[in-house]
Amino acid sequence: AFALTGRPEFALKALELLRSFVAKCPFVLEELFFEDHDAHFGGPGNHTLTVTYRLFRCIDLLYSGAIQAPGLYRDEDVFWIVKQLWFLAMQFYRLVGDDLRRDNHHLVDHGHAPFVMGALFPEFDVGKRMATEGARVIKYHFGHNLMPDGGYAEHSASYQYHITYHFLHPLGVAQAAGIKLFSASQVEKLRKWIEFNARLCLPNGSIPPIGDETGRQFTHLFGALAAPVLDPRLAAMARALGFEPGKPVHARASEIGKRLATWRPGTPHQTGLSPYYLTGGQAAKPDKKALPVPATARYPHGGYTFFRGAWDRDADYLA
């Protein structure tokens, strides 16, 4: 909202919400804890999954232009945010070296979270080890849970999409930080998984209600997450489904600071926004030559078959 409008109250409200949450839900440090979003990790509201997402949203805030905009945040505010990030990262460091498991929460709290924190904060004295250990866990899950035909070990339509976040987000961070997380063949396998999700997608752009899914849109996947592995084929499929695909954009905080040095309140600066916001939710026409033919596809390993009459919003569809 701050990037779209340039109105300071949105950036200030974000900080107010962060501070009030920490005050109301303090992290209770314990000697013994185990890692699952349903289990006690540090007091109410402080489970491994919720803490992971809070870390990433705080990092988003650091790169949103809010702290670089003149006159908005004090140095003390920025220090407070980084202090929260450091403290929570250290809790994930306590999990480093645990036994490997195949469940998704292990991927998140032993892989995704420590890798991102280690890669983005090399100043932390355990940052390098966190990045190394997180990468090891992510690669373990990649090798054990991705199907040869492009699907994932989960059968729920919701999780076919949801878990892409825990591979594509760290890949985007790795590319920005100059770290090689996946090989060329693994990146190609990720592309097959994105294509699986495109074929899974209903003609209206939503996830079909198979398993525990309520019908969300694929906006985040095609508008941002898939950017690190996007190719013309995937871009054409995204546009055919109504989503303008995102492009990888890397920027240091200092570079964002230069961009906002002359910012004035009420001036939209559009830092970090996906094409969904920049184009008003409109997608360009797809390159029809890049669209896969036939539109129908079968995934024997993942257990899915998608019948699709054509690549457009009026197509007949059956999953």
Side-chain angles (χ1 to χ4, degrees):
F2 173 60
L4 275 172
T5 66
R7 290 167 53 185
E9 56 262 40
F10 289 120
L12 295 173
K13 175 59 73 173
L15 181 63
E16 178 187 332
L17 289 169
L18 278 175
R19 285 190 175 277
S20 64
F21 180 88
V22 171
K24 186 159 183 72
C25 302
F27 195 103
V28 181
L29 193 60
E30 293 189 337
E31 287 297 323
L32 297 175
F33 66 98
F34 58 97
E35 61 291 345
D36 192 352
H37 75 303
D38 293 324
H40 196 70
F41 184 46
N46 291 286
H47 309 104
T48 55
L49 194 63
T50 55
V51 169
T52 294
Y53 291 140
R54 194 183 325 145
L55 284 170
F56 297 163
R57 297 294 78 78
C58 287
I59 294 170
D60 287 345
L61 182 60
L62 294 180
Y63 287 87
S64 69
I67 72 169
Q68 293 87 357
L72 272 187
Y73 286 14
R74 303 169 301 162
D75 289 345
E76 292 86 347
D77 297 326
V78 179
F79 179 77
W80 181 85
I81 294 172
V82 175
K83 185 171 65 172
Q84 301 299 315
L85 290 170
W86 174 84
F87 175 78
L88 295 174
M90 291 305 102
Q91 309 317 310
F92 286 99
Y93 180 66
R94 298 166 73 189
L95 303 176
V96 166
D98 284 356
D99 292 339
L100 293 172
R101 309 193 315 260
R102 282 187 60 184
D103 59 280
N104 293 321
H105 294 291
H106 179 267
L107 167 64
V108 176
D109 50 43
H110 287 73
H112 190 178
F115 174 78
V116 169
M117 297 310 295
L120 290 184
F121 294 93
E123 302 90 344
F124 296 169
D125 60 356
V126 298
K128 185 175 181 179
R129 188 180 177 200
M130 289 184 74
T132 299
E133 176 67 12
R136 182 178 75 90
V137 170
I138 291 170
K139 292 174 182 177
Y140 171 82
H141 281 263
F142 190 105
H144 284 77
N145 288 337
L146 263 72
M147 299 292 189
D149 57 6
Y152 189 69
E154 292 273 7
H155 287 282
S156 161
S158 176
Y159 275 75
Q160 290 289 346
Y161 154 66
H162 169 57
I163 304 301
T164 63
Y165 177 56
H166 302 295
F167 291 95
L168 292 170
H169 180 248
L171 177 59
V173 169
Q175 291 178 352
I179 299 171
K180 186 175 182 180
L181 180 60
F182 294 128
S183 66
S185 62
Q186 288 174 320
V187 168
E188 192 56 40
K189 200 167 185 178
L190 283 174
R191 288 194 179 100
K192 289 175 67 176
W193 194 10
I194 303 308
E195 179 170 331
F196 175 96
N197 274 275
R199 298 205 183 251
L200 170 74
C201 183
L202 285 160
N204 67 3
S206 63
I207 305 174
I210 300 172
D212 53 349
E213 175 50 45
T214 57
R216 292 172 295 169
Q217 294 279 305
F218 275 104
T219 311
H220 189 208
L221 176 62
F222 295 115
L225 284 181
V229 301
L230 203 71
D231 61 12
R233 179 184 176 96
L234 293 176
M237 297 169 84
R239 291 185 173 113
L241 296 167
F243 303 105
E244 184 58 29
K247 299 177 181 179
V249 178
H250 304 154
R252 296 178 182 274
S254 58
E255 294 168 338
I256 298 174
K258 291 178 181 178
R259 179 177 179 179
L260 272 79
T262 58
W263 171 83
R264 294 291 180 271
T267 305
H269 56 87
Q270 300 185 334
T271 301
L273 296 181
S274 73
Y276 176 83
Y277 298 100
L278 299 175
T279 65
Q282 300 298 311
K285 291 184 178 180
D287 177 2
K288 293 185 178 180
K289 294 181 180 179
L291 289 170
V293 178
T296 289
R298 177 171 173 261
Y299 289 85
H301 293 279
Y304 277 90
T305 299
F306 305 112
F307 300 93
R308 188 184 298 271
W311 285 105
D312 60 53
R313 305 284 281 197
D314 298 318
D316 293 325
Y317 170 96
L318 174 66

